Amino acid sequence: MKISSFPLLNACMKAASLCLLVVFLLVGALVGKSHAAYDYINISDPFQKKIPIAVPVPASLSVGQETDRIAIEASELLGRSLDFTGYFTMIDKRAFLDAPGKQGITGSEINFKNWRDIGSELLVTGGVRLEGRVLQMEFRLFDPFRQELLFGKRYTGEVSDLRKMVLRFCDEMIQRLTGDFGVFNTKIVFVSETDKSKALYVCDFDGGNLRKLTDGNHIILSPSWSPDGQRLAYTSYKNDKPDIYIRTVNTGDEKLLADYEGLNITPAWMPPDGSRIAATLSFEGDEEIYLLTDSGKVDKRLTRSWGVDVSPTFSPDGKKMAFVSGRAGSPQIYVMELATGRTSRLTFEGRYNTQPDWSPKGDRIAYSGMSDGSSDIFVINADGSGLRRLTMDSGKNESPGWSPDGNMIVFTSDRNGTADIYVMTSSGADQRRIVDMPGNQSLPDWSPVMKP
């Protein structure tokens, strides 16, 4: 995706081969505002009130049924994507006082009172123009109470770029409101198991663009994204034993990383650059966690205990590692300072705590814990305080994984009879299934933000 300026727009519109362009609108209106982050969303507040937002159908700036169809599709995708974040309450379009597609899209054209009267605290307006197969879309974010433009963007590309355009605006909008880019340019990988196969799949943040990555002929476990979002490490039984492989997602290239005698399981990339991978190996007899180089050579043994040590996950700075150990008699989560090897127990409540995942913000660790016979998702501060249960009375809930902004969690739940992939906010709100496919889906991992 390239960034262009207005003088280049006409030339781009006539180009035979078009890439998606981003054009900044009304830059001068945004310069020098004292509330650059706007203080609309406090991402550190788990009880943040949802903001009522109106997303009317963009105005058709060219004549034709195709333009009208695209405008409706863009509005629906924009609304679903913003609702996905858990930050907003979407105002029902039936409550709008302006006719669909007929509302103003610039500040001078908008009747802000109409939007204030229905309780809209934020308003997204848009316009769609179609010339041949060249699609131009523009969006603006307004505060109806301040009667103020917060920011605007115009995108130009092909009709097939509609989803990219809308999600790019969503990402930039969330960045304006929170200071962090959202999840709209991220992927989720998971394992899908049916009676005939067990394969890796990848999908967009919302379950869209589902794609199968492996042939399904072998058992696959514990997929883990590299820090650059280009590769996956996982355990495969391709050679009838658990070995660790690395796959380049875009090309499908796969290489064997670790095939030591015994177990080679639960790989996790070490931040910040992913030059090393932690994994549980048993070639020395006991299941211990080791650091491997990118060629698969053992660089360092990290754990030394009589209990099984598995499931490493790192703090964002790579200085600490959380993991599961049975050294106290039951699976519990521990934290190790890598520089010193000093290890402390993190979890004390519950008799079976596994599958830790360290938040990209560094403050909390999510994990699956068993209490009273049920398995649920918990979060705990990295210092052991602030334990909080996020799921309850909803089947078996396992394998939590943080979104790259630290504001959402993906997990597996069988609350509807089979194991499916769900997401929720980091406070446990808005739990919903994102993938609906045959069999059981498990072991999800959320990618970092992908490069556009």
Side-chain angles (χ1 to χ4, degrees):
M1 185 178 293
K2 296 181 180 179
I3 297 178
S4 181
S5 58
F6 278 114
L8 296 180
L9 187 57
N10 290 336
C12 174
M13 292 285 288
K14 298 177 182 178
S17 177
L18 292 172
C19 59
L20 187 59
L21 300 179
V22 181
V23 180
F24 288 87
L25 290 176
L26 303 174
V27 175
L30 303 179
V31 175
K33 290 190 179 295
S34 60
H35 52 284
Y38 301 112
D39 299 324
Y40 287 98
I41 299 174
N42 180 3
I43 58 178
S44 63
D45 181 4
F47 304 105
Q48 165 77 35
K49 181 181 77 72
K50 291 189 177 185
I51 302 173
I53 186 171
V55 184
V57 175
S60 295
L61 304 179
S62 59
V63 178
Q65 292 182 347
E66 181 69 358
T67 305
D68 296 341
R69 183 196 66 79
I70 290 173
I72 293 172
E73 183 179 345
S75 175
E76 292 175 349
L77 175 59
L78 182 59
R80 288 197 308 270
S81 300
L82 293 178
D83 183 58
F84 183 90
T85 66
Y87 293 141
F88 307 102
T89 295
M90 311 305 296
I91 296 178
D92 193 327
K93 287 182 170 62
R94 291 172 295 184
F96 295 175
L97 301 179
D98 290 339
K102 303 300 182 183
Q103 72 286 336
I105 63 176
T106 64
S108 61
E109 300 169 336
I110 295 172
N111 184 340
F112 287 108
K113 182 178 183 301
N114 282 352
W115 300 106
R116 292 195 300 269
D117 285 349
I118 62 172
S120 176
E121 296 180 18
L122 289 174
L123 167 67
V124 177
T125 67
V128 175
R129 185 185 306 277
L130 185 63
E131 296 183 5
R133 299 308 295 170
V134 178
L135 176 63
Q136 185 180 97
M137 303 181 69
E138 58 185 71
F139 298 102
R140 292 172 175 85
L141 176 65
F142 289 93
D143 181 328
F145 286 86
R146 292 176 176 169
Q147 300 187 38
E148 181 178 58
L149 172 70
L150 302 185
F151 89 110
K153 287 292 181 73
R154 179 179 295 154
Y155 307 88
T156 298
E158 298 181 355
V159 172
S160 59
D161 291 322
L162 182 150
R163 181 176 172 87
K164 292 180 183 179
M165 296 180 187
V166 172
L167 296 183
R168 179 63 181 268
F169 175 78
C170 289
D171 246 335
E172 293 173 320
M173 174 178 161
I174 294 301
Q175 196 275 335
R176 291 278 179 166
L177 296 176
T178 69
D180 291 334
F181 280 102
V183 299
F184 305 103
N185 197 29
T186 64
K187 304 283 186 181
I188 293 172
V189 67
F190 60 91
V191 176
S192 180
E193 181 179 11
T194 64
D195 292 338
K196 297 181 179 180
S197 69
K198 193 167 189 176
L200 276 185
Y201 283 78
V202 67
C203 63
D204 287 352
F205 71 98
D206 59 355
N209 289 330
L210 186 66
R211 181 162 64 98
K212 188 177 182 180
L213 296 182
T214 59
D215 58 22
N217 296 328
H218 313 285
I219 295 174
I220 299 284
L221 299 171
S222 306
S224 173
W225 287 99
S226 63
D228 62 5
Q230 303 301 310
R231 295 166 293 166
L232 289 165
Y234 51 88
T235 293
S236 173
Y237 281 71
K238 178 180 290 189
N239 293 321
D240 297 322
K241 61 183 289 287
D243 298 324
I244 296 174
Y245 291 80
I246 293 179
R247 173 177 291 263
T248 302
V249 177
N250 289 339
T251 66
D253 293 339
E254 183 184 66
K255 74 171 185 177
L256 177 63
L257 179 73
D259 62 346
Y260 294 96
E261 183 180 354
L263 299 177
N264 303 268
I265 59 174
T266 62
W269 303 79
M270 184 177 182
D273 59 2
S275 60
R276 289 182 290 178
I277 293 176
T280 293
L281 311 177
S282 65
F283 67 93
E284 292 186 287
D286 198 12
E287 292 86 355
E288 303 286 354
I289 298 173
Y290 297 79
L291 272 182
L292 306 175
T293 66
D294 57 7
S295 64
K297 180 181 178 181
V298 171
D299 180 56
K300 184 178 181 181
R301 178 172 170 173
L302 296 180
T303 61
R304 297 180 182 274
S305 73
W306 67 266
V308 174
D309 297 323
V310 294
S311 302
T313 178
F314 292 98
S315 61
D317 59 9
K319 295 181 178 180
K320 296 181 179 181
M321 178 184 74
F323 62 98
V324 176
S325 178
R327 63 187 66 186
S330 67
Q332 298 293 336
I333 298 169
Y334 292 76
V335 173
M336 174 186 290
E337 293 181 359
L338 296 178
T340 64
R342 186 171 64 185
T343 302
S344 59
R345 181 171 167 178
L346 184 72
T347 57
F348 290 89
E349 295 189 31
R351 58 184 176 81
Y352 199 95
N353 297 312
T354 62
Q355 301 174 319
D357 192 48
W358 209 308
S359 165
K361 293 182 179 179
D363 56 344
R364 292 183 290 173
I365 294 171
Y367 65 93
S368 175
M370 184 173 290
S371 178
D372 302 324
S374 64
S375 181
D376 282 298
I377 307 301
F378 294 79
V379 293
I380 190 171
N381 292 339
D383 63 1
S385 65
L387 178 64
R388 187 174 182 188
R389 186 175 184 173
L390 301 186
T391 60
M392 186 179 299
D393 301 326
S394 55
K396 183 167 64 175
N397 302 278
E398 299 178 320
S399 303
W402 293 91
S403 63
D405 61 357
N407 295 324
M408 304 190 77
I409 294 173
V410 64
F411 63 103
T412 298
S413 179
D414 67 355
R415 62 190 63 184
N416 287 321
T418 59
D420 296 304
I421 306 300
Y422 285 73
V423 297
M424 60 182 165
T425 69
S426 61
S427 63
D430 300 322
Q431 299 180 20
R432 66 271 199 203
R433 184 174 64 180
I434 63 167
V435 174
D436 184 10
M437 56 189 297
N440 292 285
Q441 287 73 56
S442 62
L443 303 171
D445 192 42
W446 210 318
S447 80
V449 174
M450 305 291 193
K451 293 181 179 180

